[in-house]
Amino acid sequence: MSVTAAAGFRAAGVAAGVKSSGGPDVALVVNDGPLDAAAAVFTSNRAKANPVLWSQQAIAGGSARAVILNSGGANCFTGAFGFQTTHQTAERVAERLGIGAIDVQVCSTGLIGVGDEAFRAAVLHGVDLAADALAAGDEAGLAAAEAIMTTDSKPKQAVAAGDGFTVGGMAKGAGMLAPGLATMLVVLTTDAEADADVLDRALRAATRTTFDRLDSDGCMSTNDTVLLLASGAAGVRPDEAALTAAVTAVCDGLARQLHGDAEGATHDIAIEVRHAASEDDAVVVARSVARSNLFKAAIFGNDPNWGRVLAAIGTTDAAFDPYAVDVHFNGVRVCHAGEPDRPREEVDLAPRATSIVIDLFAGDESATVRTNDLTHDYVHENSAYAS
Amino acid sequence: MSVTAAAGFRAAGVAAGVKSSGGPDVALVVNDGPLDAAAAVFTSNRAKANPVLWSQQAIAGGSARAVILNSGGANCFTGAFGFQTTHQTAERVAERLGIGAIDVQVCSTGLIGVGDEAFRAAVLHGVDLAADALAAGDEAGLAAAEAIMTTDSKPKQAVAAGDGFTVGGMAKGAGMLAPGLATMLVVLTTDAEADADVLDRALRAATRTTFDRLDSDGCMSTNDTVLLLASGAAGVRPDEAALTAAVTAVCDGLARQLHGDAEGATHDIAIEVRHAASEDDAVVVARSVARSNLFKAAIFGNDPNWGRVLAAIGTTDAAFDPYAVDVHFNGVRVCHAGEPDRPREEVDLAPRATSIVIDLFAGDESATVRTNDLTHDYVHENSAYAS
């Protein structure tokens, strides 16, 4: 049900000593073909980790045979030594699999600044262990998904069945979940036949409405990578719409799991903006609320504080009249036409799933951005992470 | 030492029952002239409270005779009734002082959506009490500064002496402190002679480098107002530079008090960006760090997590090379040329005053943005405020 659900893929997850905890920390995913088409989306942060700098170049030709991933260190801002580590990692994988280093995507996650001699040695050791452990099937896929976890409380996997083909995937990410991409590593696999340009369009269409609308804490990572590999092993070439739908389904499933596992959260908040003049406007308005610490703290306190919603959306330049909007908390319209409506006592914010609907009365477009509340545990986890 | 420090001004602060606590909640500041020149800066939030909508129009002619302020309710998103309340408040002040309603600036602070019949009655009662209590001198200025407090732990006042003239002021604000303006009400007074256009330029120059660079929690208020009133009672007409310097000194003093009183904060963080290609770039880069919850939580945990600084500044489009920057925490260079430098153990983040210096090596401009850490108490205060 994971990265190994599609035919033509093997995976492994091993404990190689990158993490001081001794837990699993290196994963390998291999595409046995016959195709090797691939597409990727990387963080839009200008501060990119060494594995991102490597992988962007390596995938420029639209193909990839393997993905090596480690948790326990981001290998970001580690200089020339860190880039050499990434390069050596790709070469070690290539050597073990009999492919070229250019065919290897590298992903890292963990603390920025971590990437010394000990890190390099552990990751290279992990390549050997993972190459030995490669296998098809659910168990291997799960092992890979577990090896990329950092503060994640559980592994994240999803699968979608198309007409004669399968798309599967795994993801990690629990904090620094923000725009462009949430802080995440995602590997998607399919046994469909598809060219790189089709994969690229399908992947960008899917991430645009899923991961790009997950905004847990407004912080964009240096290491975000979403990969899509096609083996063609199913012998089926779906039309682009069908492939895009399946990829989107898997991305949506993984995005929801990331949303539900955000660090320290007690509410999973869906902010839906209706009747916007454009889809961009809807996203901008929803994101302004997702970025409001005051709003997010209010939700933690089960407080239907619609004033903080209006204060947030008023900071955008989207086309709407701030004095004409409706705001619903969990189905109760607490603000109508910019004035108080139903009493706050009618709103029950106890459930984890939280629905905010903002009706702009400005057009026909809509969008939903997902975020989490701002909690004591968020502060605790993120003030203690490095120590 | 306050809003009454300059000659020609009287003030009052009274308890009128707007706040359920029974504390002081209505303040009045009166300019007895001979001049009535005035300037203002209001929130750039499109969601503006009724008093802001009123005051923007009333001050368009460049004059004001009085400022009435209340805590205990923002009178924002309270519809036509709320606007009438503001109008009636101005008229009551005008009637009591024998001036026109157009000469009265109105400011409110507190919860959005609060502005019902009881609110109106209490504020109007407060006008009568305050008009009766008007007095010159420090005691009256302090009473006014206390009456505008919400979650502020202490009143905020400042004064600057020019050559033959004085500028004084009071402020409130402890949360929702953000761009454009921190959530604040500020009344500045001077006995200098000055025309409205000079006051306007002086005020905008002063706020640009003080309140506009205070970004406690990234949340912009609906009620922010900064007023500058000139009585001319000193009989001195300073040159514009001297007036601007004095106004800036008072704004800086008040901004530092707001910074030090931010809700739940345990660190007052000054983020200084050096060697930027432009002043705008320096502000954008500093603000990106001030807005990072991950960075702010790390400071709460006394963690010199420079990786989160680099991840934040990488999201900007300012002109610099992310792999060439230096980052200093409290004087210790923990990152040099985008790589780890001095060990984290050398950094002592125990003091409340926290200095972050980011050297971009991209030009000759610099700027400092002030923010606070993200703490358990911030979450607590902002999840419980309404209840």
Side-chain angles (χ1 to χ4, degrees):
Chain A
M1 61 159 288
S2 168
V3 77
T4 48
F9 291 92
R10 288 177 296 154
V14 299
V18 190
K19 281 179 179 166
S20 54
S21 69
D25 46 24
V26 172
L28 181 60
V29 178
V30 176
N31 179 358
D32 290 319
L35 301 183
D36 63 357
V41 178
F42 298 99
T43 181
S44 55
N45 200 317
R46 291 162 60 202
K48 295 187 203 308
N50 285 306
V52 171
L53 296 173
W54 166 269
S55 296
Q56 279 187 314
Q57 295 301 317
I59 207 165
S63 64
R65 282 281 178 197
V67 187
I68 183 83
L69 312 94
N70 75 273
S71 52
N75 194 9
C76 181
F77 291 113
T78 47
F81 183 86
F83 190 80
Q84 287 160 7
T85 297
T86 294
H87 191 181
Q88 289 181 20
T89 304
E91 290 198 320
R92 181 73 65 97
V93 171
E95 186 183 316
R96 291 297 308 260
L97 299 178
I99 59 178
I102 196 83
D103 297 321
V104 181
Q105 291 285 293
V106 182
C107 302
S108 298
T109 180
L111 270 183
I112 291 173
V114 170
D116 59 5
E117 294 271 7
F119 171 86
R120 177 188 288 183
V123 170
L124 292 175
H125 177 54
V127 172
D128 289 334
L129 294 177
D132 291 341
L134 277 172
D138 285 354
E139 200 175 325
L142 178 60
E146 287 174 341
I148 59 175
M149 290 165 58
T150 55
T151 54
D152 305 69
S153 70
K154 58 189 89 159
K156 297 165 182 74
Q157 305 182 92
V159 67
D163 188 5
F165 69 98
T166 297
V167 178
M170 66 177 186
K172 70 78 47 179
M176 223 192 236
L177 288 171
L181 288 174
T183 291
M184 59 173 70
L185 302 180
V186 179
V187 180
L188 307 169
T189 54
T190 181
D191 46 20
E193 293 179 352
D195 298 332
D197 61 332
V198 172
L199 294 177
D200 187 66
R201 285 195 299 270
L203 184 60
R204 287 178 192 281
T207 57
R208 189 178 74 84
T209 57
T210 55
F211 300 126
D212 283 357
R213 294 188 186 168
L214 179 60
D215 198 333
S216 170
D217 63 5
C219 294
M220 190 194 296
S221 162
T222 52
N223 289 58
D224 295 328
T225 303
V226 181
L227 293 165
L228 172 57
L229 311 180
S231 70
V236 168
R237 184 173 290 267
D239 68 28
E240 187 167 332
L243 180 64
T244 301
V247 172
T248 301
V250 173
C251 289
D252 188 57
L254 293 172
R256 286 171 187 271
Q257 291 175 58
L258 293 167
H259 187 215
D261 199 23
E263 286 170 353
T266 67
H267 290 80
D268 301 335
I269 309 167
I271 303 165
E272 180 185 353
V273 174
R274 294 181 183 164
H275 297 114
S278 68
E279 188 178 347
D280 280 353
D281 272 6
V283 172
V284 163
V285 168
R287 201 181 292 283
S288 74
V289 179
R291 293 282 176 86
S292 166
N293 278 351
L294 289 174
F295 163 78
K296 290 153 68 88
I299 296 297
F300 171 57
N302 294 344
D303 170 15
N305 196 317
W306 57 269
R308 294 177 180 177
V309 172
L310 294 184
I313 71 178
T315 64
T316 71
D317 58 2
F320 67 94
D321 176 358
Y323 305 98
V325 305
D326 286 0
V327 180
H328 306 248
F329 277 64
N330 280 351
V332 179
R333 194 176 69 179
V334 287
C335 170
H336 174 54
E339 295 188 37
D341 191 20
R342 304 302 308 166
R344 46 179 287 125
E345 291 71 22
E346 292 184 10
V347 180
D348 179 13
L349 285 171
R352 184 174 178 101
T354 306
S355 157
I356 308 296
V357 175
I358 303 162
D359 200 326
L360 299 181
F361 299 103
D364 296 318
E365 300 298 324
S366 62
T368 299
V369 169
R370 298 177 189 283
T371 190
N372 298 94
D373 51 351
L374 180 60
T375 70
H376 289 301
D377 283 351
Y378 177 88
V379 173
H380 177 71
E381 290 192 31
N382 286 297
S383 58
Y385 180 38
S387 50
Chain B
M1 60 162 285
S2 169
V3 77
T4 48
F9 291 92
R10 287 177 297 154
V14 299
V18 191
K19 281 179 178 167
S20 55
S21 69
D25 46 22
V26 172
L28 181 60
V29 178
V30 176
N31 180 358
D32 289 319
L35 301 184
D36 63 358
V41 177
F42 298 100
T43 182
S44 55
N45 200 319
R46 292 163 59 202
K48 296 186 203 306
N50 285 307
V52 171
L53 296 173
W54 165 269
S55 297
Q56 277 187 314
Q57 295 301 316
I59 207 166
S63 65
R65 281 280 177 198
V67 187
I68 182 82
L69 312 94
N70 77 273
S71 52
N75 193 10
C76 180
F77 291 112
T78 47
F81 182 88
F83 190 81
Q84 288 159 7
T85 297
T86 293
H87 192 182
Q88 289 181 20
T89 304
E91 290 197 320
R92 182 73 64 99
V93 172
E95 186 184 316
R96 290 298 308 259
L97 299 178
I99 59 179
I102 196 82
D103 298 321
V104 181
Q105 291 285 292
V106 183
C107 303
S108 298
T109 180
L111 269 182
I112 291 173
V114 170
D116 59 5
E117 295 273 7
F119 171 85
R120 177 187 287 184
V123 170
L124 293 176
H125 177 54
V127 172
D128 290 334
L129 294 177
D132 291 341
L134 276 172
D138 285 353
E139 200 175 327
L142 177 61
E146 287 174 340
I148 58 175
M149 289 165 58
T150 54
T151 55
D152 305 68
S153 70
K154 58 188 89 160
K156 297 164 182 73
Q157 305 182 93
V159 67
D163 188 6
F165 69 98
T166 297
V167 178
M170 66 177 185
K172 69 79 48 181
M176 223 191 237
L177 288 172
L181 289 174
T183 290
M184 58 171 72
L185 303 180
V186 179
V187 180
L188 307 169
T189 54
T190 181
D191 46 22
E193 294 179 351
D195 297 332
D197 60 332
V198 172
L199 294 177
D200 188 66
R201 286 196 296 271
L203 184 60
R204 288 177 192 281
T207 57
R208 190 179 72 85
T209 57
T210 56
F211 300 127
D212 282 356
R213 295 188 185 167
L214 180 60
D215 198 333
S216 170
D217 62 5
C219 294
M220 191 194 297
S221 162
T222 53
N223 289 58
D224 295 328
T225 303
V226 181
L227 293 166
L228 171 58
L229 311 180
S231 70
V236 169
R237 184 173 290 266
D239 67 27
E240 189 168 332
L243 179 64
T244 301
V247 172
T248 302
V250 173
C251 288
D252 189 57
L254 293 172
R256 286 172 188 269
Q257 292 175 57
L258 293 166
H259 186 215
D261 200 23
E263 285 170 354
T266 67
H267 290 80
D268 301 336
I269 309 167
I271 302 166
E272 180 185 353
V273 173
R274 295 181 182 164
H275 297 113
S278 69
E279 188 177 350
D280 280 353
D281 271 7
V283 172
V284 162
V285 168
R287 201 182 291 284
S288 73
V289 179
R291 293 283 177 85
S292 166
N293 279 350
L294 289 174
F295 163 77
K296 290 152 69 90
I299 296 296
F300 171 57
N302 293 344
D303 170 14
N305 196 319
W306 57 269
R308 292 178 179 176
V309 172
L310 293 184
I313 72 177
T315 65
T316 72
D317 58 3
F320 68 93
D321 176 357
Y323 305 99
V325 305
D326 287 0
V327 180
H328 306 248
F329 277 65
N330 280 352
V332 179
R333 194 176 68 179
V334 287
C335 170
H336 174 53
E339 295 186 39
D341 190 21
R342 302 303 308 165
R344 45 179 289 124
E345 291 71 22
E346 292 184 9
V347 180
D348 179 13
L349 285 171
R352 185 174 177 102
T354 306
S355 156
I356 309 295
V357 175
I358 303 163
D359 201 324
L360 300 181
F361 298 104
D364 296 317
E365 300 299 323
S366 62
T368 299
V369 170
R370 297 178 189 282
T371 190
N372 299 95
D373 52 351
L374 180 60
T375 69
H376 289 300
D377 283 352
Y378 177 88
V379 173
H380 177 72
E381 290 192 32
N382 287 298
S383 59
Y385 180 38
S387 51

